[in-house]
Amino acid sequence: MASRQQQLTAPKQIQLSNPRDKRTSSSSLTDDSSLVRQIRDTHTPGRSDNSVNVNQILQVVEEIFHRASHGHAGVLLGTREHLETVEDRTTLSSVDVVFHGLSYLIQKIYCEITCQCSGGPDAHASAIELLRTLSSYPWEAKVVLTLAAFSVNYGEFWLVAQLCTTDPLAKSVAILKQLSDIVEHAASVKPQLEAIDTLIKAILNVTKRIVEYGEMVKMQSHYVSEDTPPLSIALAHIPAATYWVIRGILASASHIAILTGSRHEYVASTSEVWELSSLAHKLNNIHDHLSNELENCRRYIVTKRYDEEYENLRRLFRSLQLDNMKNLRALISHKDDIQPLQIGTSKSRFNLEVLRRKHVLLLITDLSLSNEEILVLDHIYKDQQNRPEVEYEFVWLPIVDPNIWDEAKRFRFEDLKSRMPWYAVYDPLIIEPPVVKFVRNDWQFDKKMIVVALDPQGRVSSLNATHMLWIWGNVAYPFTDEREQLLWNAESWRLELVANGIDQSILDGIEKGRYICLYGSDDLDWIRKFTNRAKNVAKLAGISLDLVYVGRSTSTKEKIRKVNKVIETENLSRYWPDYVSTWFFWSRMDSMRCSKVKQRKTLENDDTLREVMTLLSYDGSDQGWVMVWRGSNETARANGHLTLLTLDDFDAWKTAAADSGFVPTLKNELLRRHTPHHCTRLVIPGFGTDIPDQIPCAECGREMEKFFMFRCCLD
C-alpha cells in the first residue's frame, strides 16, 4: 500500500536516457552530429545587452552548494556543527548589483525546471527547451544561469531540512513538503543524496571550464581567435558540454523533487543512483577533455605572447632611449609595486631606480657560477673605490629553468647571492621566458658566464665584457667594444700582461731584472726533475731564477693543493697558495684568446694570440710546460719534455748563453731541438662561437684535428 501511495503522490521523474548508451555518447565530446546540430540550432546570439557577469553569479552559486553540502553532512550525522563551522564566503554588497535584471530570468528558469520535474517531457526535450529560453545568451551564461536557478531549488530544499528541527517556520514548511521524514530517516536516502552531491560537483567543474573558455575568447583575442586552432577545436565541444551540464542539472532537480514529498518508506533504487553516477561519470569525462583542450589553448597563447614579448625586446634594444629604465624593466620586472633587486650580502631590497642613467654590467650565469668567479668579480667591483673616474653597477641575472626548480636549487641560488656585495634579482623566477630566450638567442648565453655591458641609455656597449674585466679589470671602463680595441692596440705579449692582478712579486721582479720562470704540470716526478735541473743551470749560468709553479687549468683544487704541499715540503719553488690565482691565470689566458678571436685576429697576424694559443696547447698536453722571462718582453717557452732535454745539454750552449744572453740562447736551443714529435694538443673550454672551425698547431703550424670532449664538473 505504501509503494502504491508513493506512485500516486511522488512527482514524476524526467525520463533520462543512459549517458553511456552508444546512441548518446562517444569517445568525443560532441556525440553524434545530429545532436550537435540540434543544440547549435537553439543558439541565436546577437543582443549586446545579454552580457552576464558569470563569475560573480557563479561565486554565489558555489557558496550555496558549498554550504548545502556541509549541511547535508550534518543532516546525515544528526548534527549542525558542520554547518556552523563553514566560513561565509559571500559578500552581498559586491554581488547584489550583478543580479539586477536577472532575478526574473532566474525565477523563470527555476519554474521551468520545477514544472518539467513534475510531469514534463523527457530530459533531452527539457534540455533543448531550456537552451531555447536562453538562446540569445553566450554558452557560459546559459550554464551559469541554469545552475543559478537550480541552486535556488537546491538551497531551499536543504535550508528547510537543516532548520526544521530548530525553527518553527522551517518545521511547518518541512511538514507540508514532507521533508521531516528525510531528516528523521536520512540513512535510507543517503546513497541518493551522495550521488546528487557527486553529480553537482561534476556539473560545477564543467561549468567552470565553460566559463574559462568564455573568458579566453574575450580576453585573449589578441593572441588567438575563435576560428583558429587550437581554440576553434576546443570551442567546438562547448555546445555539447553545455547540453550535458543542463542534463545533469535536470537530473539532480528531478531527484530532489522525488525526495520532496516522499515518505520514509521510500528507498532509492539502484538504477536511480546508477543514473546519477552515470551522468557524473559523463561530465567528469567532459571536464577532463575540456581541461586538456584548455591547457592546449593556454600553451598556444603563452607561446604567442612570449614570441611577441621577445620581438618587443629585440626592437627595444635596437632603438634609442632617454635612459636605461625601459630596457631594465623589460629585462628584470615591469612591476612597479615590487623591489626586484637585492644586495646579497646585506639582504636589502631596491627598486630599479637605483640604476637609472648608470653604466650597468649584467652578470648572466646559471647556478654553476663558481666561487672563484665571485671572488675575482668582488675584487674588481671593490677596486672602483680606488678609481674616482670609474662608476658602474653589477646586476646578477641568474638564468634558471622553472620546470626543474626545487629547494636544492633555491638553496644554491641564495648561497651564491649571499656572497655578492652588488645587486641581484631577489628571485630568478621573475625573469620571464621571453627574456631568457632573448639572452640565449641574441646575447648568446649558454652556460658560460657572460657580462653584458649597458650604457646609461640602456644600449649594449659590449655583448660580453667578461674578457675585458679578466684581462684589464677597471682599466677597461666603460667596457665598450671600442675600449677593448684601443687597449689591444696598446698591448703586446709581455710579462705584465701575463701576470697582471695575480702575483705582484713577479711584477716587482721585472723592475729588478730577475729571471722569472713560470711552469706547470701535475706530474710530481717531472716537477722534481725540472726544478732541480733549472736550479743547477741557473747556478751554472750565474743568474737569479725565480721559479713559480702555476699548475694546469684541468687540475682539480685537491690535486693542486697536493702538488703545492709537496713543492713546499721539498722547497722546490714558489707557488700560488690559493687556487683562485691558478684559476684566474688560465681564465685570463682563455679570455685573451676569446677577445683576440672577437677582434678577428689569427695566429698568422697576431703575436699575442699565437703565444696564448701555444701556452694553452702546452696546458692541454701531459708533458708539462715552461716559460722563462727576463724583463717585460724577453721570453722563451717550450713543453716540459723538450725543456728537460735542452737543460740536460746546457754545457753545449753555456758559452752562447754567456755571450748572447740566457733567454735568447735558450729560445734558439729549444727551436733547434723541436721536432713534430713534440707537437701538442689544445683543449678549449667553451660553446658554440667560442670554438674556431680551424686552428693551426702553435708549434709546427699544421692544421690541428678537431675532437669534442664532454667533461663532468666533478672530473
Side-chain angles (χ1 to χ4, degrees), residues 411-455:
F411 180 83
R412 172 65 177 169
F413 164 73
E414 294 294 341
D415 178 56
L416 290 172
K417 186 174 64 173
S418 67
R419 307 180 211 169
M420 299 177 179
W422 52 79
Y423 297 113
V425 295
Y426 79 96
D427 185 343
L429 298 183
I430 70 171
I431 301 176
E432 295 281 348
V435 176
V436 175
K437 181 180 179 180
F438 178 75
V439 166
R440 292 189 183 280
N441 290 3
D442 294 65
W443 290 352
Q444 288 89 51
F445 169 72
D446 187 5
K447 193 172 178 62
K448 195 174 182 181
M449 181 184 77
I450 62 172
V451 179
V452 177
L454 303 181
D455 69 11

Side-chain angles (χ1 to χ4, degrees), residues 223 302-318 330-331 334 432-444:
Y223 299 108
V302 167
T303 300
K304 296 288 285 185
R305 179 169 67 84
Y306 285 171
D307 288 345
E308 181 180 78
E309 291 178 5
Y310 168 68
E311 291 301 327
N312 289 341
L313 264 175
R314 300 188 74 190
R315 284 191 292 271
L316 183 63
F317 275 89
R318 286 196 295 262
L331 286 173
H334 291 285
E432 295 281 348
V435 176
V436 175
K437 181 180 179 180
F438 178 75
V439 166
R440 292 189 183 280
N441 290 3
D442 294 65
W443 290 352
Q444 288 89 51

Side-chain angles (χ1 to χ4, degrees), residues 19 195 198-200 202 275-285:
T198 300
L199 178 55
I200 289 173
E275 179 181 67
L276 294 170
S277 63
S278 184
L279 265 171
H281 176 78
K282 172 77 175 180
L283 286 167
N284 285 333
N285 287 338

Side-chain angles (χ1 to χ4, degrees), residues 153-272:
N153 175 276
Y154 192 70
E156 288 175 349
F157 175 85
W158 280 112
L159 189 62
V160 174
Q162 291 168 13
L163 299 178
C164 67
T165 58
T166 58
D167 186 279
L169 176 60
K171 181 178 180 181
S172 299
V173 173
I175 291 171
L176 291 176
K177 287 180 172 285
Q178 296 184 4
L179 288 180
S180 55
D181 280 358
I182 292 180
V183 176
E184 189 175 347
H185 304 282
S188 64
V189 292
K190 180 180 178 182
Q192 191 173 12
L193 292 174
E194 291 179 341
I196 293 172
D197 190 53
T198 300
L199 178 55
I200 289 173
K201 289 176 181 176
I203 289 169
L204 266 173
N205 288 335
V206 176
T207 299
K208 289 177 183 178
R209 286 292 172 265
I210 295 173
V211 168
E212 287 181 89
Y213 276 105
E215 291 178 337
M216 183 174 290
V217 171
K218 294 174 186 175
M219 306 298 294
Q220 303 294 344
S221 59
H222 177 68
Y223 299 108
V224 60
S225 62
E226 295 181 54
D227 55 357
T228 303
L231 184 56
S232 61
I233 296 172
L235 291 178
H237 302 304
I238 297 301
T242 302
Y243 167 82
W244 283 108
V245 166
I246 293 176
R247 283 283 299 272
I249 291 171
L250 289 171
S252 300
S254 176
H255 281 267
I256 290 295
I258 292 172
L259 291 172
T260 305
S262 299
R263 302 294 296 173
H264 67 83
E265 294 89 346
Y266 169 72
V267 178
S269 67
T270 303
S271 62
E272 288 174 335

Side-chain angles (χ1 to χ4, degrees), residues 15 40 68 81 130 158 174 184 207 256 303 341 374-375 410 464 469 474-475 510 521 581 621 714:
Q15 296 175 2
R40 288 183 182 278
E81 62 178 301
L130 280 171
W158 280 112
E184 189 175 347
T207 299
I256 290 295
T303 300
L341 301 179
I374 294 176
L375 288 173
R410 169 71 66 184
N464 193 1
L469 286 167
N474 288 320
V475 174
I510 296 173
S521 175
S581 297
S621 70
L714 299 177

Side-chain angles (χ1 to χ4, degrees), residues 218-391:
K218 294 174 186 175
M219 306 298 294
Q220 303 294 344
S221 59
H222 177 68
Y223 299 108
V224 60
S225 62
E226 295 181 54
D227 55 357
T228 303
L231 184 56
S232 61
I233 296 172
L235 291 178
H237 302 304
I238 297 301
T242 302
Y243 167 82
W244 283 108
V245 166
I246 293 176
R247 283 283 299 272
I249 291 171
L250 289 171
S252 300
S254 176
H255 281 267
I256 290 295
I258 292 172
L259 291 172
T260 305
S262 299
R263 302 294 296 173
H264 67 83
E265 294 89 346
Y266 169 72
V267 178
S269 67
T270 303
S271 62
E272 288 174 335
V273 174
W274 180 86
E275 179 181 67
L276 294 170
S277 63
S278 184
L279 265 171
H281 176 78
K282 172 77 175 180
L283 286 167
N284 285 333
N285 287 338
I286 290 173
H287 172 264
D288 292 344
H289 189 87
L290 289 179
S291 296
N292 290 334
E293 292 295 338
L294 188 65
E295 188 59 33
N296 290 338
C297 292
R298 284 171 175 160
R299 281 196 293 264
Y300 178 84
I301 290 168
V302 167
T303 300
K304 296 288 285 185
R305 179 169 67 84
Y306 285 171
D307 288 345
E308 181 180 78
E309 291 178 5
Y310 168 68
E311 291 301 327
N312 289 341
L313 264 175
R314 300 188 74 190
R315 284 191 292 271
L316 183 63
F317 275 89
R318 286 196 295 262
S319 59
L320 296 176
Q321 309 294 333
L322 292 175
D323 58 33
N324 55 4
M325 294 310 297
K326 194 171 183 179
N327 292 18
L328 290 173
R329 285 195 180 99
L331 286 173
I332 299 172
S333 176
H334 291 285
K335 300 177 181 178
D336 294 326
D337 58 338
I338 66 169
Q339 295 177 306
L341 301 179
Q342 184 177 42
I343 291 181
T345 52
S346 68
K347 305 297 183 184
S348 302
R349 293 276 291 274
F350 297 89
N351 195 282
L352 288 173
E353 282 293 327
V354 297
L355 303 176
R356 185 183 289 274
R357 294 191 179 91
K358 288 186 178 181
H359 289 275
V360 176
L361 300 185
L362 301 175
L363 309 179
I364 301 176
T365 77
D366 59 15
L367 298 184
S368 64
L369 182 67
S370 70
N371 185 55
E372 290 71 35
E373 287 171 310
I374 294 176
L375 288 173
V376 173
L377 287 168
D378 181 65
H379 174 77
I380 295 171
Y381 182 69
K382 291 176 179 176
D383 182 58
Q384 286 186 81
Q385 300 172 4
N386 303 320
R387 301 175 184 271
E389 75 283 1
V390 176
E391 185 177 1

Side-chain angles (χ1 to χ4, degrees), residues 144-158:
V144 170
L145 290 171
T146 306
L147 193 57
F150 169 64
S151 71
V152 174
N153 175 276
Y154 192 70
E156 288 175 349
F157 175 85
W158 280 112

Side-chain angles (χ1 to χ4, degrees), residues 15-28:
Q15 296 175 2
L16 297 168
S17 57
N18 180 2
R20 294 176 180 171
D21 193 289
K22 293 182 179 178
R23 293 171 295 175
T24 57
S25 67
S26 66
S27 60
S28 71

